Amino acid sequence: MDEASQKRKERLEQLRKRKLESTGNGDSKDVSLSFRNYTPLNNELKAENSMITTPADIGDTVEKQMEGVVEKVIQEEEEKRAKDVDIFNLAPKTPNWDLKRDIEPKLLKLEKKTRAAVIELIRRERPNDLSMA
């Protein structure tokens, strides 16, 4: 276990050395500092980064560029809706149209059976009437 950890440490150390060599021979003086969130107190650093941006420097923002677009899109949509509206298509169907559709085949069967039952009752009442035959 000790040997494995020792080998791992050596590999990590070699990787660090390679990384330092590839980034600039281990010199940390070439690093540029960027102060985005605060102004440095040191005068030397202030002089280097005197170009701190303010909201007034930004200029056109997305909000400013898109100011009139929302109203324009809303107006176009209203015009399209005004053209597309058809009063006859807006009239609702009867509230039970789906019930009629689902029950219609069953009602046809019942209607046939009802007619047959009515005819049978009439035949029982008038057995001698030949016009019913």
Side-chain angles (χ1 to χ4, degrees):
M1 185 94 174
D2 250 354
E3 293 174 16
S5 65
Q6 190 65 26
K7 288 180 182 178
R8 186 170 189 275
K9 285 182 183 179
E10 289 174 5
R11 277 187 278 135
L12 289 173
E13 201 169 315
Q14 289 174 356
L15 284 173
R16 281 189 207 118
K17 285 180 184 177
R18 280 191 229 151
K19 189 174 182 181
L20 286 174
E21 289 173 3
S22 66
T23 58
N25 298 327
D27 293 336
S28 61
K29 293 180 182 179
D30 295 337
V31 176
S32 63
L33 301 174
S34 63
F35 300 102
R36 296 180 186 150
N37 298 329
Y38 64 95
T39 306
L41 298 175
N42 188 342
N43 290 334
E44 292 176 10
L45 293 176
K46 279 184 186 179
E48 288 179 16
N49 287 328
S50 62
M51 296 188 57
I52 298 173
T53 59
T54 61
D57 296 337
I58 293 175
D60 287 341
T61 59
V62 175
E63 290 85 8
K64 288 181 182 177
Q65 293 174 354
M66 302 304 280
E67 277 180 351
V69 175
V70 174
E71 290 83 13
K72 187 187 246 184
V73 169
I74 291 172
Q75 184 180 8
E76 289 175 1
E77 285 295 321
E78 288 176 355
E79 290 174 1
K80 284 182 184 177
R81 287 183 187 152
K83 290 178 183 176
D84 293 340
V85 172
D86 187 13
I87 296 174
F88 296 109
N89 290 337
L90 290 177
K93 293 184 177 182
T94 55
N96 58 358
W97 66 272
D98 58 336
L99 294 174
K100 283 184 179 179
R101 179 196 65 209
D102 294 340
I103 296 176
E104 190 173 1
K106 297 176 183 176
L107 285 176
L108 290 175
K109 290 180 185 177
L110 284 176
E111 189 176 335
K112 289 178 183 177
K113 289 182 180 180
T114 305
R115 284 183 185 166
V118 168
I119 291 172
E120 184 66 29
L121 287 173
I122 292 174
R123 284 186 183 162
R124 283 185 190 169
E125 286 182 14
R126 299 183 185 176
N128 295 332
D129 195 3
L130 296 175
S131 65
M132 297 299 283

